[in-house]
Amino acid sequence: MYKGGYAGKILRIDLSKQSAKEETLPEELAKNYLGGAGFGIKYLYDEVKPDTPALDKANKLIFAVGPLTATGASCSSRMAVVARSPLTGAVGMALAGGQFPAEMKRAGYDMIIIEGKAEKPAYVAINDGEVKFRSAEKLSGMMTTDTQLFIKEELGDHNYRIACIGPAGEKVVPMACIVNERRAAGRKGLGAVMGSKNLKAIAVRGHKRPDIADAESFRKARQAMNKAMKDSPVLYPHFAKAGTPMVVDAMTEMGIYSIKNWSATGQINMVPGLGLKAQDEMIITRSHCHDCPVGCSQVKLVTSGPYAGYLSEGPEFETTYSLGSTVGVDYLPAVIAADRLCDEYGIDTISAGVAIGWAMELYEKGILTKKDTDGIDLKFGNHAAVIEMLRKIAYQEGLGALLGQGTKKAAEKIGKGTGDYAMQIKGLELPAYDVRGAKAHGLNYATSYTGADHNRGYAFQEIFDIPIPEKVDRNATKGKGRLTKWNQDTRAVTCDCATMCAFLLDMAVPAIACQNTADLVNAASGMNFTAEDIEKIGERLNNVARLFNIGAGFSRKDDTFPRRLMTEPIKAGASKGQLISQKDLDEMLDEYYAERGWDKNGTPTAAKLKELGIK
Amino acid sequence: MYKGGYAGKILRIDLSKQSAKEETLPEELAKNYLGGAGFGIKYLYDEVKPDTPALDKANKLIFAVGPLTATGASCSSRMAVVARSPLTGAVGMALAGGQFPAEMKRAGYDMIIIEGKAEKPAYVAINDGEVKFRSAEKLSGMMTTDTQLFIKEELGDHNYRIACIGPAGEKVVPMACIVNERRAAGRKGLGAVMGSKNLKAIAVRGHKRPDIADAESFRKARQAMNKAMKDSPVLYPHFAKAGTPMVVDAMTEMGIYSIKNWSATGQINMVPGLGLKAQDEMIITRSHCHDCPVGCSQVKLVTSGPYAGYLSEGPEFETTYSLGSTVGVDYLPAVIAADRLCDEYGIDTISAGVAIGWAMELYEKGILTKKDTDGIDLKFGNHAAVIEMLRKIAYQEGLGALLGQGTKKAAEKIGKGTGDYAMQIKGLELPAYDVRGAKAHGLNYATSYTGADHNRGYAFQEIFDIPIPEKVDRNATKGKGRLTKWNQDTRAVTCDCATMCAFLLDMAVPAIACQNTADLVNAASGMNFTAEDIEKIGERLNNVARLFNIGAGFSRKDDTFPRRLMTEPIKAGASKGQLISQKDLDEMLDEYYAERGWDKNGTPTAAKLKELGIK
C-alpha cells in the first residue's frame, strides 16, 4: 500500500446531478499506471466507449497529477488532462504546468473526473475537499484572465488556482484549450470538451501537504536529481537563460525549422526576427512552475509600436513557429500579441497558427479569395490578418468557423486537393520540427496516440546530439522504430505519468530518468518500483492508449504523414533534399510495430497485452 | 480624542531613502478636516509649495481614506488621492472606490504620504503595518491588470489589493491615472505624479478592523442611512439597475448631452447606440465596492464582432460621453474596448476622449491632416481611430504625445485659435454635461478647485429635479452662486472627506447628508460633530484648496469657460439657444464669491479665513 506521495483520493464530479463523491485511490492503479496521464487514460479506457462523440456528455474530462506533485520534488507541478479529443477522435491528453497542479494535490486529490453536463454554465470550487457548484452564467464569453479574476473575487479568496476555458471553449471550438494562469493544457481541443459540459472553470485551494514515506531517502533522491540537473551542460547554462526559443536558432541551422506552412523550410531564415537574440530583448522576467528551480518560461512584453502593452508567457518555441514562421511572420511583437490572444480566447496556439498558415497558402494559391476571408488579405506575413483570424476562430466567424474545426475537417470541406497541404496527422496539426529532416521525430508524430504531437516521444537525440540510449543519424530511418518506442515509453512514464517536466528528461537525466523516477516515487510513496517497472508503465500506457484508438477506428493507415512531406523534398538549407517517402514510412512502421510487439496493422498482440497485464 | 473609526496612523514613505515611518493621526486634523480629501489637501497645503513642479520629487502623492472606511458603513470604501496636478497645476484630487481603500484602512492607515523619488522603478508592499520596498523594474511597461497579477504572485498572496500605474503613468503622461482593479483615481494626472516618483504600485493587505466607539449608536446611524437609501425613489428602483448610464437618456432629453466635441449637442441623438437600452443589453454582472449594498457599477462584455472579448467595468456615464458621444462613436462595443484599454494603459477616459474629440474637430476643419495623425483618418465616429489614438497617447507617439499633455497645452502648441474649441477649464477636460443648459453645473466647473470637475459640486438639482435645498431652474443664473457653494461644501465633506459615495448624496440623503455623516462619524469615532460642523469642514476644505491654487497662480481669470460655450448657443433640442455669456458668468461669479466670503478676485478674505480657523 502506498504510504505517501499520493493524496490517496479521486474526486468524481457529476455535473448533471451537481454531485461530487470521493473514491479511494486504488493501489493497483498506482502500481500499474503511476499517476497523471496513466491514471487519466486508464479511466478513459475503462469508462468511456471509444466511439462516444467527444462533445457528448458521456465523454469524461479527467485532471490527474502525479505521485511527486507538491512533494517538493523538482519540476513536478504538472498535470495531465484527458478526454476523447474532439479534434482527432483519438485519446486527447495534454499536460500543463504552473501552480494549479500542486494546488489540486494540496486540495486533496490525485485525480478529478468530470462527468455529465451542467444544465447551465457552471464552475466548480474545491477547497480542501469541500466541493461547491456555482453558476458561471455571468462569466459566459469572458476571456480567461478576467474569468479567473471574477471567480477569485466571487469566492472571496484570490489565492484559488483556476483552470478555465475562454470564449472558444464555450463555443466548443475543437481546438479550444484549458488555461490556468498563463499556462495551458493546449492541444487536442480539451477546452471544447470542458465547454460541452457547460463547465467554465475548476477552482482549487488546498493546504494539505502529501506525506513522504521515507524522508531521508526522498532527500537523497531529490539531491541526486538536482545534481543531475546541475551537471547538465545544457539545462542551467543555456536552457534556464534562453528557454525553448534557443531551439529556433539550432533548428534553423539544421534546416528543419518549418516555414510558411512547410512550403519554405530552409529557404527563408526567420531567425533575425524570431530567434534567440530577438526573443532575449523582449524578456522582462522568468516564470517558475511550482517547485521548479529552472524557470525556463519567459515573460515577454511589447513596450512600443502597434502591439504595445501585450504580454505573454512565451512565445515558447512552438508558438514562435505556429504564430510566427509558419504564417510567415517574423515580427516578434505580433507573435507575442497573438500568443496572448490565444490564451485569452482559450485556443491552442499550434493548431490555430498552423490552420491559418494553411489558409494563407490556399489564399496565395488562389483557392481561397477575399470573398472567403471577409475581405482579409490573408497573405503570408500579414500579422494583422493573423490576429483577426484568431478572433474569427475563437468566435466561429466566417472562415474562422471552418479553420477552428482543424485542417483535416476543413480540407475535407474545401476539397480541391487542399488536404495535401493540411499539416496534420490524425487531425492534430504538426508541431515545428520539419520531420523530413528528423526521422524519429517523424515516426513519433505518425504513431503518437494523440496525433502529431512532439510531446509524446520527443527525439532529443536528433536535436541535441545526445547519444542516449544510442547515437543516431537524424536522416536515417533504420533504428528509428526502436528509438521511438524507447522515447515514447520513457517519456510517457516520467513526464506524462510521474508528471515531471519534459525538459528534465531531455536535458538532464535521460540516461537515468527511469531510475531517478523510481527512486523519487519509492521514497515518497513507500512503493518498490525498479527502473524496469517504471519503463514498463510507460509501455503499458502507450498500449492502453493504442487500444482506445483502435476502438475509435484508428489503425496503421492513420500512422502517416501529410502528402506534402512524402512527395516534396525540403528545397534548401542543411536538410535540402530530405523527404520521408512511403517506403521510408513503411520500413519505420514495420520496425516500430515489431519493437512494440504489435502486428503489421499496429494492433497489440495478445501476448503483449498479457505481458503488460492489460485486459 | 477620537476613540474609533480612524486607524489612527499616518504612514509616511520616503522613496528616495526607501524608508517608512508612522505618525499618530493628529486629533486637530480629524476635527477640522475629517478625513480623505480633507487630510490630503491639508497636508498638500502645509507641505508642498504651490509652485512646486508637479513632476518634481518635491511634490507629494497622498492616499487618504475616511473615518467610516471599513467600519461597515454603507458605501464608504473610497479614498482620495492628492498631489499637485501635472495637468492643471492646481490641486489634484481624485477619488476611487473598490476594495483598496478598505484594505488600506485594515492595513492600519488613514493616510499614506509618498515623498521623494525611487532611484529605480519600485513598488511598496504594506502588510498590517509592515512596509517593504521592492523592485518594479521587471514590471516596467506592464498594463495594469498584468501588473497587479505579477505583484500578487511575487508577494505570495493574491489577496493583496493594489493601486498601480500603467505604461502611461510610467511615461508621466499628464493625463495618466492610478488604477486599482477595475477602479481608477482617474483625473488630473495623478498617475503621472506616481510615475515621476518611479512608483509602479502600492500593495496593501490588512486584517485589522477599526474600533467602533459606540456600537449601538453606530448601528442606529447605519440603519437610518440604509433606510434613507431604501426610501429613495431613485437609488434602488432605478440606479441600482441602470447605473450611471441612466443619465444618458435623461440628458439627451434635456438636450445637454455633449456630442462631437460639444459642436453638436442636441443635434444628434446618440441614445440608440449609447443609451440605457443598449447598455443594458451588454451587462453581464454588477460590481460592488467594499461595503456597498447598491452595486451601481456594471460589468459589460463584448461577445461578438471586432471587439469581442473586451470587458470593462463601465463604460459609466462619463466614459460613454468621452469615448462615445464626444468622439462621435455610438457603437457601444468600441466604447467598452476603449474604456478597458484606458484602464490598462492607465489613462483618464475623460481627458483622453475629450482630447481625441477635439483633435477630430480640428481634423474635420482641416487644421490637422493625415500628416499630423500618422495617416489615421481622424474623423468623428471612427472608433478604430479612437483606439489607435489612445495607444499613441499612452506611449507618447506622434500626435498622441501632444494630446496626452491635455487640450490646453496642445492648443497653445498648435495655435490657430484652436483653444476656442479646447474643452477644458484650468487645463482639465470637461465632463459630459453641456453646461450651457445647466448653469450651476457650469459655475461648478468654472470654480472647482480641480478644474472642470463634475465631482466637486455636482448640481443634482438641475438633473433630477430634486428641490433640495431649493427648487431651481437649470437655465437661470441667479441663485446659482449660493447653490454652488452649498453643493461644493456638502459634497466636499460627505463624499471627499468622509469618503462616502457621491451617489448617496445625490439620490438618497441630500437633505440630511451632513446630519447623517455627523451621526455616523460620531458613533464610530466618539467625536461630537454637529451637522453645522460637518458642513463647515466642507467649506474649510474648499478654502484651503483655493489658497493653494492662488499660490499656484490661479485667480478669477481662470474661473471661466472655453470660448465656444460663451459664444455659440446650443443649436438644437430642448436646450436650443442656451449659452453662458461673459455677463452670465460674471454675475454668477460675483454671487458665488460673495456667498463664499471671497473678494472680487476670488480670494478668501481674512475674516473668512479667521472664521474657518485657517492660517
Side-chain angles (χ1 to χ4, degrees), chain B residues 245-293:
Chain B
M246 75 181 191
V247 188
V248 179
D249 295 45
M251 281 179 53
T252 299
E253 208 170 302
M254 294 163 75
I256 55 169
Y257 187 53
S258 302
I259 292 170
K260 291 190 177 178
N261 198 40
W262 301 52
S263 68
T265 305
Q267 289 180 282
I268 299 169
N269 180 7
M270 304 195 90
V271 158
L274 298 177
L276 202 48
K277 192 162 168 290
Q279 303 244 6
D280 259 1
E281 282 166 8
M282 309 209 71
I283 297 175
I284 56 162
T285 188
R286 281 158 175 89
S287 176
H288 294 247
C289 293
H290 191 269
D291 281 335
C292 171

Side-chain angles (χ1 to χ4, degrees), chain B residues 292-330:
Chain B
C292 171
V294 180
C296 73
S297 197
Q298 305 168 334
V299 179
K300 291 168 196 141
L301 174 64
V302 186
T303 55
S304 65
Y307 299 107
Y310 275 101
L311 172 151
S312 83
E313 187 162 327
E316 47 72 65
F317 167 70
E318 283 296 341
T319 300
T320 299
Y321 145 76
S322 61
L323 299 172
S325 69
T326 205
V327 290
V329 169
D330 63 353

Side-chain angles (χ1 to χ4, degrees), chain A residues 99 137-143 145-146 149-150 152-153 156-161 167 171 181-182 284-286 299 301-311 313 340 344-345 388 391 395 397, chain B residues 99 137-143 145-146 149-150 152-153 156-161 167 171 181-182 284-286 299 301-311 313 340 344-345 388 391 395 397:
Chain A
Q99 311 296 328
E137 286 182 85
K138 71 180 179 192
L139 306 173
S140 292
M142 227 184 252
M143 305 278 248
T145 299
D146 285 335
L149 285 171
F150 273 79
K152 288 169 173 215
E153 190 67 29
D157 182 357
H158 282 252
N159 287 316
Y160 272 88
R161 302 293 183 171
K171 290 178 181 292
E181 294 173 349
R182 295 181 304 276
I284 56 162
T285 188
R286 281 157 176 90
V299 180
L301 174 64
V302 186
T303 55
S304 64
Y307 299 107
Y310 275 102
L311 172 152
E313 188 162 327
R340 176 62 176 262
E344 294 292 357
Y345 297 138
E388 183 67 359
R391 191 184 54 74
Y395 290 89
E397 223 185 58
Chain B
Q99 310 298 326
E137 284 183 85
K138 71 181 180 193
L139 306 173
S140 292
M142 228 185 252
M143 304 277 248
T145 299
D146 285 334
L149 285 171
F150 273 79
K152 287 167 174 218
E153 189 68 28
D157 181 357
H158 283 252
N159 287 316
Y160 273 87
R161 303 291 184 173
K171 289 177 182 294
E181 294 172 351
R182 296 181 303 277
I284 56 162
T285 188
R286 281 158 175 89
V299 179
L301 174 64
V302 186
T303 55
S304 65
Y307 299 107
Y310 275 101
L311 172 151
E313 187 162 327
R340 176 62 176 262
E344 294 292 357
Y345 296 139
E388 183 66 359
R391 190 184 55 74
Y395 290 90
E397 224 185 58

Side-chain angles (χ1 to χ4, degrees), chain B residues 2 54 149 174 235 319 323 413 420 429 512 544 576 608:
Chain B
Y2 55 85
L149 285 171
L235 192 68
T319 300
L323 299 172
K413 190 100 178 227
D420 289 359
E429 282 67 28
I512 52 166
V544 169
K576 185 177 173 182
K608 175 54 73 176

